[in-house]
Amino acid sequence: MSFFNSQLFKDVQSQHIFSDCKTFADATARVDWQSACIQYEQIAPLNKTQLRDFVDAHFITTPLLTMKGAANTTSVKGYINSLWSGLRREADIPKANSLLALKHSYIVPGGRFQEIYYWDSYFTALGLIDADKSDVVEDMLQNFIDLINDYGCIPNGNRSYYLSRSQPPILALMVDLLWQHTHSKTHNLAWLKLCVEALRKEHAFWMQGADTLSDAQTSVKRVVTMPCGGVLNRYWDDEAAPRAESLREDLALASGFSDDKKPEFYRNIRAACESGWDFSSRWLADSNLLSSIQTTDIVPIDLNCLLYNLENQLSECFKLLGNEQQSQTYSNYAVKRKSLINQYLWSNEKRFFVDYNHKLSKPSAILSAAASTALFVNLASQQQAELVANVLSEQFLKAGGIVTTVVDTPQQWDSPNGWAPLQWFAVKGLCNYGIEQLATRIMKNWLTMVEQDFIENKCLLEKYNVCTPQQKASGGEYQVQQGFGWTNGVTSRFYMLTKD
């Protein structure tokens, strides 16, 4: 039995011993969790006070990561530069907790997030490169290679409760970032070979089960057969149970479902976490009801664009390594995926890239900033890029930058919130097609908002209300977190791009 299935864990979470379920999921046992669980079963049940005393006697909990006293608050630039040391973690020493010990240093996002997060790390790396800290980026990349070698995927984060899912595949972006910055100068093909093997394993993870698809089974794990017979991808989770880090919330939402429907609900919640967009109207049948979540029904534009980029990069890397056959194989994968994206994920009506509901065989009605990933990975035609730019300018560009979706809901990945990764996808994507004026407006709007907010809060935040920057961002399962890795990285890069 795992710690997360134990009666102790369930009782601590259900009795609200901690306001955030993640606190106990991340706790370290003073001896080991097995003996704590056995002792608890001998004396349970306990009232809330007794249970809290038991937890304090057997576990150590880590307070939220704060930067007070260590950060430079004289300016945004000064704050970012001073924060890297506060967010840095050295190689882990294995302990009796949920942390998957990493052998190299890494950057954590901040606040309640005190482990490495997969897709956060690419955006964080932009700022680390700008701060001449490419050695930390090298370490984080090596940690990801170790994780994929050990577990077959790069998990959501380095916690055991994240092992059933990954996150948007950005390993190829980190490899390219380092190759362009460092390794191409030294022509380090040994390093490239190591990276390519990890990229190949990541592609295999996302395509697992593709060879078993049939007329009777049109979807399995993360692959989906489209109406024409081609294969695209979706987000998934290998478990269909409440999340350990959000047990209380999941059980409460699932209480409205019959027992036979609960596993499907849990899987869809978890799959949305794999997307990084937890949660958004992109995944909901009813934009205002999280209980209507249907993530596994959706073929997302951003995931498939990132996989297109992965396939192209594998093709280019194998060519550099002299393996023409493998290079052609992955090039063919990319060509097929691009065709399918244009067939199913481009809307002539909306003049925009959209998600696709494979269960209903129709495009999603939700417009999201994820569309810009098609520009970011150079998949769009020039005409498509200009049409996307028009929609971004007319519907998404707000006082503080690009809004996440044009739908206002209680979820944090919807309007009125904006997130640093989506600003970067949009800016870099627009620049790829020479649409510089709009890219500059996005960057300046974002920087102005961040600087104005910094005057009051003296920190950078996980997300912002880009529609009304004077108001704090809200929505989601937890309070807005300060730190914050990817905000630091993208903001730093915007300063570099607008310094002239």
Side-chain angles (χ1 to χ4, degrees), residues 378-393:
N378 288 293
L379 179 144
S381 67
Q382 185 65 36
Q383 181 184 27
Q384 286 173 324
E386 291 170 2
L387 291 172
V388 168
N390 289 339
V391 176
L392 289 176
S393 178

Side-chain angles (χ1 to χ4, degrees), residues 97 115-117 120 126 138 169 264 331 369 404 422 429 431 480:
N97 60 17
E115 50 278 309
I116 198 170
Y117 280 81
D120 295 53
L126 298 172
E138 291 273 10
E264 182 182 5
S331 176
T404 307
L422 303 182
C431 290
V480 62

Side-chain angles (χ1 to χ4, degrees), residues 122-123 126 173 305-306 353 369-390 392 402 420-440 442-443 490 493-494 497:
Y122 163 67
F123 306 99
L126 298 172
L173 301 179
C305 285
L306 291 173
F353 288 98
S372 62
T373 54
L375 283 62
F376 180 81
V377 301
N378 288 293
L379 179 144
S381 67
Q382 185 65 36
Q383 181 184 27
Q384 286 173 324
E386 291 170 2
L387 291 172
V388 168
N390 289 339
L392 289 176
I402 293 292
L422 303 182
Q423 314 305 312
W424 175 242
F425 280 152
V427 166
K428 181 65 168 62
L430 291 165
C431 290
N432 286 345
Y433 291 84
I435 310 174
E436 305 281 350
Q437 187 173 3
L438 178 56
T440 300
I442 295 169
M443 287 191 286
V490 171
R493 181 53 57 95
F494 284 175
L497 293 175

Side-chain angles (χ1 to χ4, degrees), residues 161-295:
Y161 54 75
Y162 285 149
L163 282 171
S164 58
R165 62 177 178 268
S166 186
Q167 274 199 323
I170 54 77
L171 186 65
L173 301 179
M174 289 189 71
V175 170
D176 185 62
L177 189 66
L178 283 168
W179 180 260
Q180 298 299 331
H181 182 74
T182 304
H183 289 279
S184 63
K185 299 174 185 177
T186 59
H187 302 289
N188 193 339
L189 294 183
W191 176 88
L192 183 62
K193 187 174 182 180
L194 182 72
C195 294
V196 167
E197 181 59 17
L199 293 173
R200 186 192 63 77
K201 288 180 180 178
E202 174 156 66
H203 188 265
F205 165 78
W206 285 97
M207 298 308 295
Q208 187 178 1
D211 56 351
T212 68
L213 293 171
S214 64
D215 292 339
Q217 187 175 22
T218 59
S219 61
V220 61
K221 291 185 176 288
R222 294 164 177 83
V223 289
V224 176
T225 302
M226 305 305 285
C228 68
V231 175
L232 287 176
N233 289 78
R234 63 178 176 179
Y235 292 112
W236 182 256
D237 191 295
D238 292 337
E239 289 195 21
R243 293 167 294 158
E245 75 280 14
S246 300
L247 183 72
R248 198 163 50 242
E249 292 84 355
D250 286 358
L251 291 175
L253 268 175
S255 64
F257 292 92
S258 60
D259 287 347
D260 62 320
K261 294 293 184 183
K262 286 179 181 179
E264 182 182 5
F265 165 76
Y266 293 138
R267 194 185 304 280
N268 278 304
I269 282 283
R270 286 167 164 269
C273 294
E274 182 169 79
S275 79
W277 289 55
D278 43 335
F279 298 103
S280 171
S281 57
R282 291 179 70 190
W283 320 126
L284 307 181
D286 182 329
S287 295
N288 291 301
L289 288 177
L290 184 55
S291 59
S292 72
I293 195 161
Q294 54 181 6
T295 317

Side-chain angles (χ1 to χ4, degrees), residues 285-438:
D286 182 329
S287 295
N288 291 301
L289 288 177
L290 184 55
S291 59
S292 72
I293 195 161
Q294 54 181 6
T295 317
T296 61
D297 293 355
I298 305 299
V299 176
I301 179 61
D302 45 357
L303 172 59
N304 284 283
C305 285
L306 291 173
L307 288 171
Y308 167 79
N309 178 73
L310 171 58
E311 289 161 348
N312 268 332
Q313 185 156 327
L314 275 165
S315 176
E316 293 171 10
C317 290
F318 274 120
K319 184 176 291 186
L320 284 171
L321 295 173
N323 192 330
E324 290 292 338
Q325 183 178 356
Q326 284 285 65
S327 175
Q328 190 60 52
T329 295
Y330 285 99
S331 176
N332 291 343
Y333 289 154
V335 169
K336 290 177 183 177
R337 189 180 297 274
K338 179 178 180 178
S339 176
L340 291 167
I341 288 172
N342 277 311
Q343 184 174 352
Y344 294 103
L345 307 183
W346 170 257
S347 171
N348 285 319
E349 177 188 356
K350 304 290 186 182
R351 299 186 172 189
F352 208 62
F353 288 98
V354 297
D355 301 325
Y356 183 88
N357 189 312
H358 72 91
K359 288 286 183 69
L360 300 179
S361 298
K362 67 176 186 180
S364 170
I366 302 296
L367 299 186
S368 82
S372 62
T373 54
L375 283 62
F376 180 81
V377 301
N378 288 293
L379 179 144
S381 67
Q382 185 65 36
Q383 181 184 27
Q384 286 173 324
E386 291 170 2
L387 291 172
V388 168
N390 289 339
V391 176
L392 289 176
S393 178
E394 293 170 6
Q395 300 189 47
F396 285 82
L397 182 59
K398 306 297 179 182
I402 293 292
V403 72
T404 307
T405 70
V406 295
V407 183
D408 195 331
T409 80
Q411 304 310 322
Q412 62 174 349
W413 285 84
D414 278 318
S415 182
N417 293 342
W419 297 73
L422 303 182
Q423 314 305 312
W424 175 242
F425 280 152
V427 166
K428 181 65 168 62
L430 291 165
C431 290
N432 286 345
Y433 291 84
I435 310 174
E436 305 281 350
Q437 187 173 3
L438 178 56

